[in-house]
Amino acid sequence: MRDSLAMKILREHLVSAPDSLRPGREILIRVDHTLTQDATGTMAYLQFEAMGVPRVRTRRSVSYVDHNMLQTGYENMDDHVFLQTFAAKHGVYFSRPGNGICHQVHLERFSEPGLVLLGSDSHTPTCGGAGMLAIGAGGLDVAVAMAGGPFGLPMPKIVGVHLKGRRQPWVAAKDVILEMLRRLTVKGGVGKIFEYYGEGVRDLTVPERATICNMGAELGATTSIFPSDEITRAYFRKQNRETEWRELGPDPDAEYDEHIEIDLSALEPLVAQPHSPDNVVRVRDIEGLPLDQVCIGSCTNSSFHDLAIAAHVLKGRRVASRVSMTLTPGSRQVFATIARNGILADLIAAGARVLEAACGPCIGMGQAPKSGGISLRSFNRNFEGRSGTPDAKVYLCSPETAAVSALRGVLTDPRDYEGAYVTQREPDVYDTNDEGMILPPSDHPEQVEVVRGPNIKPLPTRGPLESVIRGRVLLKVGDNITTDHIMPAGSKILPLRSNIPAISEYVFVRVDPKFPERAKQYGGGIIVAGSNYGQGSSREHAALAPMYLGVKAVIAKSFARIHRANLINFGILPLMFTEEADYNRISQDDELVIEDVPGQLQRGSRIEVSTSSGQRLGTVCEVSPRQRDILLSGGLLNHVKINHGGGKG
Ligand code: F3S
């Protein structure tokens, strides 16, 4: 065998036929771990309940609370209590609010090399830093996995990324992934797994590898993975979990579908400019940009090292007076560790604002920049409006660049910093005591009552696929529409995640505030879009809320992977133009008709769409036989109920 590491894990977990392991074919894999966060978790667990399975059937399922932390009303706390009681009853571990961001905590406390993790968050690949095959998916896919069902995906191409050389001081792991984004763009990873190998891997700690895997999501990749080696073992030892470590890597001379090479020694500090993570230039090309805000944190860069580097730079000095600086530890473990060894005191003394261990400003939950402000962040996304300030400009960089820039008040190449670089990348010990913060499921589930406050509304349902779809074009949008455009987040909207009727009032609200009203007025309809529709997060609300509003189909030039899967899961037809130029032949408000939808789907992938003026447009609905059955059933939940007698399969 000359298997890559990713191929080894896929083979070990394959449920479908062995010959399905060819790029593009649908594969079904067994799932070992699942994770959810609160913004996607409530819905995933309501879906799990609807399947009628009493306890999860995975090796480990964990429910995290990290997104909706502001408690300006009862909604978020209603969600947290629902999640906690659900977890206790149904066999799920519960990571309490304050324990940290799901990906950081899963890496620290649960990751296991060689296993498959499915998470209802697009940055689930973070655990690839510890040799897991970790994939982001919609909440419904995660619910099915919790019920013991396999996960289906098109077999990705496996790309070998050869890392050679060693980084110069002040060049960070973040610069490695920004370089990948610069070369490949936000579409460059679609349908691919990036597997890192080579001597340069030894230059990276597990949290640094996790940073690279985390932001592979911005490439659109299925996932990214590093081998599990002696560096991984040392990390597990510090986590007091050495027994859960195993060595794992590709075969010598492993075969990859594609190759990329990065010479770490030639890398420079990089920065992604507004409003896309692939709009990458060298820091020194735009040095001197005045800054209003600097934020270090998010699931990309909130490890011990990321905060230690900031403390090192800021020790004995003050953040520039024009800059508001925030720091977010990724986990309670990181928070406790920096509190013990003095780093926290240095950050506070420097005038930084230290926030609780959660997503916070990354998801627009507080710390919105000033209007028109320039914010420099160590995060992973800089889509327009995501910060909570519609006209803010967000730049993405390493914690090294962020810290030195916060000191100067302008974007600065960290190599210009006058002091020495810190060589210690990890603490000697981590605070690994989870007691009372990660709650195991109850041994007496029959005694646990799942608490449902008024923010927990029943799951919306729909019937089987209609035989004829007739509807107006409710909205026509361009390229690279993100899930933030479709279903925005932020402190007002996010708390409504468990209440679909209420949250659906915000669908496309930042693109066209009249969209929800129009959708209701016309009894639903169709969306027309350019390429890469639905890029960004895994949020299934970007499919579920449109489904609730009656959206029956999206016709686009192309789709982002997770969103396309979410559309199928909620019974919305994802149609691609056969001729991209046909996009120009449809206008908003046109009436479209798709005749005999089930028949067309069963005959093949071609679906004919007619306009009210009698024009015929060719589209394709490229789905596997399983996905076609899901669409015919009106979504995954209906499909599971029909085919597995209440989801017991
Ligand atoms: Fe949270 Fe932002 Fe990551 S919302 S999970 S910190 S991308």
Side-chain angles (χ1 to χ4, degrees):
M1 286 284 191
R2 294 165 70 192
D3 275 353
S4 62
L5 170 57
M7 185 62 99
K8 284 185 188 178
I9 301 176
L10 287 172
R11 266 190 218 288
E12 270 182 25
H13 289 80
L14 195 68
V15 177
S16 50
D19 71 350
S20 57
L21 283 170
R22 281 195 235 127
R25 301 273 298 266
E26 184 180 56
I27 53 169
L28 294 174
I29 53 172
R30 194 165 39 77
V31 174
D32 304 302
H33 286 203
T34 64
L35 74 76
T36 58
Q37 36 90 341
D38 47 314
T40 57
T42 49
M43 212 35 74
Y45 295 125
L46 288 170
Q47 288 154 348
F48 178 83
E49 273 185 334
M51 292 175 207
V53 179
R55 298 280 276 189
V56 294
R57 292 171 175 160
T58 41
R59 176 183 169 112
R60 183 77 81 221
S61 285
V62 190
S63 169
Y64 294 93
V65 178
D66 53 12
H67 277 56
N68 302 350
M69 303 290 279
L70 295 179
Q71 288 170 220
T72 51
Y74 64 88
E75 292 89 351
N76 287 341
M77 202 57 202
D78 274 8
D79 285 1
H80 301 174
V81 174
F82 168 77
L83 292 169
Q84 183 168 347
T85 50
F86 176 96
K89 190 170 187 75
H90 294 286
V92 176
Y93 282 73
F94 181 69
S95 171
R96 298 180 63 183
N99 198 44
I101 305 174
C102 53
H103 310 304
Q104 177 77 23
V105 179
H106 211 86
L107 182 76
E108 292 166 352
R109 309 305 301 144
F110 294 107
S111 59
E112 294 182 80
L115 299 194
V116 169
L117 162 67
L118 193 71
S120 61
D121 189 280
S122 54
H123 291 99
T124 300
T126 310
C127 280
M132 282 193 107
L133 196 79
I135 303 177
L140 188 45
D141 283 317
V142 173
V144 169
M146 287 191 297
F151 175 61
L153 75 165
M155 175 64 194
K157 285 187 175 170
I158 301 175
V159 183
V161 186
H162 181 205
L163 297 181
K164 55 180 225 183
R166 289 181 73 85
R167 288 168 294 151
Q168 301 166 26
W170 301 102
V171 176
K174 182 65 159 282
D175 297 311
V176 177
I177 189 66
L178 287 174
E179 171 66 8
M180 290 283 283
L181 278 151
R182 188 186 71 78
R183 292 193 198 179
L184 303 178
T185 81
V186 290
K187 293 181 212 157
V190 175
K192 293 177 183 173
I193 294 176
F194 291 102
E195 178 169 319
Y196 293 83
Y197 71 97
E199 73 276 12
V201 164
R202 288 198 295 276
D203 188 37
L204 296 158
T205 64
V206 167
E208 288 174 327
R209 297 172 184 183
T211 292
I212 293 171
C213 292
N214 172 284
M215 228 176 145
E218 276 50 62
L219 292 162
T222 303
T223 191
S224 304
I225 190 166
F226 276 82
S228 170
D229 55 11
E230 284 301 320
I231 290 171
T232 322
R233 179 187 212 155
Y235 179 77
F236 274 62
R237 193 178 304 129
K238 285 187 182 179
Q239 291 294 341
N240 218 358
R241 305 201 284 124
E242 194 176 352
T243 52
E244 291 165 47
W245 172 82
R246 67 167 164 141
E247 189 172 13
L248 214 56
D251 288 330
D253 300 321
E255 285 178 356
Y256 294 99
D257 296 306
E258 291 173 16
H259 293 270
I260 293 177
E261 184 171 277
I262 294 185
D263 180 359
L264 298 179
S265 59
L267 269 187
E268 292 195 36
L270 298 171
V271 60
Q273 305 178 95
H275 296 286
S276 183
D278 61 359
N279 189 9
V280 174
V281 295
R282 295 180 305 185
V283 170
R284 65 178 155 128
D285 291 336
I286 55 167
E287 236 180 339
L289 182 78
L291 304 173
D292 302 298
Q293 185 186 52
V294 173
C295 303
I296 295 179
S298 89
C299 56
T300 316
N301 277 121
S302 54
S303 68
F304 170 82
H305 171 74
D306 296 329
L307 300 189
I309 193 81
H312 170 75
V313 167
L314 294 169
K315 189 174 170 112
R317 306 167 190 222
R318 294 260 190 216
V319 172
S321 58
R322 60 166 292 134
V323 169
S324 167
M325 183 182 199
T326 71
L327 288 127
T328 314
S331 65
R332 185 202 51 80
Q333 176 184 97
V334 169
F335 213 160
T337 307
I338 65 167
R340 283 203 185 150
N341 63 13
I343 286 176
L344 181 60
D346 293 340
L347 293 171
I348 293 170
R353 300 166 63 182
V354 182
L355 309 176
E356 68 178 323
C359 301
C362 178
I363 191 72
M365 293 298 267
Q367 319 310 326
K370 73 170 198 183
S371 55
I374 296 183
S375 179
L376 182 68
R377 300 177 163 204
S378 72
F379 303 175
N380 48 33
R381 291 195 172 136
N382 59 347
F383 301 141
E384 206 166 1
R386 182 176 166 98
S387 66
T389 303
D391 59 353
K393 294 192 175 59
V394 176
Y395 291 72
L396 306 174
C397 67
S398 68
E400 281 82 346
T401 301
V404 175
S405 301
L407 197 61
R408 301 265 176 96
V410 294
L411 181 65
T412 306
D413 188 322
R415 294 171 299 178
D416 293 346
Y417 179 70
E418 52 282 3
Y421 186 69
V422 267
T423 46
Q424 190 191 11
R425 301 218 199 123
E426 288 200 75
D428 298 327
V429 282
Y430 281 110
D431 181 324
T432 56
N433 181 1
D434 297 322
E435 216 182 307
M437 290 309 290
I438 296 180
L439 307 178
S442 170
D443 293 332
H444 302 285
E446 69 290 346
Q447 293 170 12
V448 180
E449 187 203 339
V450 179
V451 178
R452 293 161 215 272
N455 197 44
I456 310 292
K457 290 280 184 281
L459 200 61
T461 52
R462 59 156 290 167
L465 186 67
E466 298 76 3
S467 53
V468 177
I469 291 179
R470 188 182 300 278
R472 283 193 189 233
V473 176
L474 295 171
L475 189 68
K476 183 176 177 184
V477 288
D479 293 343
N480 294 325
I481 287 294
T482 69
T483 48
D484 276 303
H485 287 116
I486 305 168
M487 188 72 264
S491 56
K492 250 209 240 144
I493 307 174
L494 215 50
L496 303 173
R497 284 287 177 94
S498 322
N499 184 343
I500 300 301
I503 204 170
S504 67
E505 296 295 328
Y506 294 92
V507 173
F508 280 119
V509 76
R510 291 192 189 133
V511 177
D512 179 349
K514 294 245 159 68
F515 178 86
E517 193 187 316
R518 199 161 55 242
K520 280 190 262 174
Q521 184 189 344
Y522 294 130
I526 293 166
I527 292 166
V528 172
S531 57
N532 201 22
Y533 180 77
Q535 68 157 326
S537 75
S538 70
R539 76 183 57 145
E540 65 182 356
H541 287 72
L544 177 52
M547 176 204 94
Y548 178 79
L549 292 173
V551 172
K552 301 281 189 269
V554 179
I555 311 177
K557 291 182 186 171
S558 65
F559 291 91
R561 176 186 68 88
I562 301 180
H563 186 63
R564 186 172 172 283
N566 281 337
L567 290 174
I568 294 169
N569 283 350
F570 290 100
I572 298 176
L573 285 179
L575 303 178
M576 280 199 314
F577 288 106
T578 336
E579 297 294 332
E580 286 198 358
D582 282 351
Y583 169 85
N584 301 321
R585 293 168 63 198
I586 305 183
S587 309
Q588 193 161 313
D589 281 337
D590 278 355
E591 179 94 21
L592 301 181
V593 184
I594 310 172
E595 302 279 1
D596 185 21
V597 194
Q600 291 203 60
L601 261 182
Q602 265 152 347
R603 285 192 291 275
S605 59
R606 291 189 63 83
I607 305 283
E608 196 177 81
V609 180
S610 331
T611 66
S612 45
S613 58
Q615 299 187 74
R616 294 184 170 208
L617 309 167
T619 71
V620 286
C621 185
E622 274 172 2
V623 287
S624 66
R626 189 183 68 96
Q627 289 176 319
R628 187 192 57 213
D629 289 345
I630 291 171
L631 281 171
L632 291 171
S633 309
L636 182 56
L637 199 53
N638 293 353
H639 176 72
V640 169
K641 284 189 199 160
I642 295 165
N643 292 284
H644 300 283
K648 296 193 173 61

